């Protein structure tokens, strides 16, 4: 299957990219194709027009690239920091440019913070947002506490507990991706 790991921070000393790399690698170890979408590598303007509001061939090239990637995805892993009990503005801006590309696909939420709560307050907020964008969120979340100490730069866990915990999280994502792909083949209520 093809998964997109959407990462949402643009801070200069960001640590969450380590968690995104960890999840990408874990998906690849299961035989999947996994691509990280990082707003620093895919800069979009502040949202003025959604991708769907452009005529065919008129969207900015970066939007076309991401739309193609998102359309081809079987599911998404959203990796979010917690900023003031919510998601980072770069993540919202990146995601809100699209909608049809997400419809009837699963999303798994990984969240993190520098403190002990692992970004769960942002994850609760994010679950509602993803539903509005047309995604089905898997039941499990993957909170990461003390992100700066939990993974090295390459995204290897410094605590084996993360390697154990990620299994259930990715099992659910794979199950939902397979189930929803089968249903999309027979038709969807709307697109």
């Amino acid at each position: 299957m093809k998964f997109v790991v959407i990462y949402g921070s643009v801070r200069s000393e960001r640590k969450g990219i380590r968690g995104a790399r960890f999840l990408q690698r874990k998906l690849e170890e299961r035989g999947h194709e996994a691509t990280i979408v990082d707003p620093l590598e895919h800069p979009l303007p502040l949202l003025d027009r959604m991708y769907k509001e452009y005529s065919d061939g008129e969207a900015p090239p970066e939007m076309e690239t991401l739309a193609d990637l998102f359309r081809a995805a079987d599911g998404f892993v959203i990796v979010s920091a917690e900023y003031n009990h919510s998601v980072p503005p770069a993540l919202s801006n990146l995601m809100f440019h699209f909608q049809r590309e997400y419809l009837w696909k699963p999303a798994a939420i990984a969240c993190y913070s520098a403190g002990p709560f692992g970004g769960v307050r942002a994850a609760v907020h994010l679950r509602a947002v993803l539903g509005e964008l047309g995604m089905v969120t898997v039941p499990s979340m993957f909170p990461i506490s003390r992100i700066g100490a939990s993974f090295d730069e390459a995204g290897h866990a410094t605590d084996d507990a993360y390697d154990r915990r990620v299994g259930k999280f990715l099992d659910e994502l794979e199950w939902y991706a397979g189930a929803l792909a089968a249903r999309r083949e027979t038709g969807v209520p709307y697109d």
Side-chain angles (χ1 to χ4, degrees):
M1 287 188 257
K2 294 181 180 180
F3 293 102
V4 176
V5 178
I6 300 177
Y7 176 63
S9 177
V10 295
R11 295 180 83 169
S12 59
E13 305 222 3
R14 62 198 188 146
K15 304 291 186 209
I17 192 69
R18 299 172 181 190
R21 291 177 185 139
F22 171 79
L23 291 161
Q24 177 188 34
R25 191 178 69 262
K26 290 299 181 180
L27 285 163
E28 290 171 346
E29 287 174 1
R30 289 171 169 241
H32 304 300
E33 183 178 319
T35 304
I36 293 177
V37 171
D38 180 343
L40 283 180
E41 295 176 10
H42 298 279
L44 295 176
L46 287 176
L47 181 60
D48 176 43
R49 290 170 64 192
M50 293 178 71
Y51 174 74
K52 68 182 182 181
E53 296 171 321
Y54 288 91
S55 298
D56 287 345
E58 291 186 7
E62 195 63 42
M63 273 190 218
E64 289 288 356
T65 298
L66 290 174
D68 289 343
L69 181 65
F70 293 169
R71 267 192 299 274
D74 293 298
F76 301 88
V77 177
I78 313 301
V79 181
S80 179
E82 182 178 309
Y83 289 12
N84 300 315
H85 294 208
S86 190
V87 300
L91 178 61
S92 296
N93 189 63
L94 173 69
M95 294 191 66
F96 290 177
H97 277 85
F98 305 95
Q99 185 177 29
R100 288 184 183 138
E101 296 73 21
Y102 305 129
L103 290 174
W104 315 111
K105 296 180 182 180
I109 299 170
C111 49
Y112 65 91
S113 68
F117 299 113
V120 294
R121 293 171 294 206
V124 169
H125 178 128
L126 186 56
R127 191 179 297 275
V129 170
L130 296 176
E132 183 62 24
L133 289 173
M135 289 183 253
V136 176
T137 57
V138 304
S140 292
M141 290 188 216
F142 191 71
I144 303 167
S145 302
R146 296 176 179 84
I147 186 68
S150 296
F151 299 95
D152 65 19
E153 278 297 323
H156 295 95
T158 58
D159 180 346
D160 292 343
Y162 286 108
D163 290 308
R164 289 189 303 275
R165 282 185 35 228
V166 77
K168 177 183 175 188
F169 178 72
L170 295 180
D171 287 346
E172 287 182 11
L173 176 61
E174 289 170 336
W175 188 92
Y176 276 88
L180 290 170
R183 291 297 293 161
R184 285 193 310 273
E185 287 180 16
T186 64
V188 295
Y190 60 86
D191 61 7

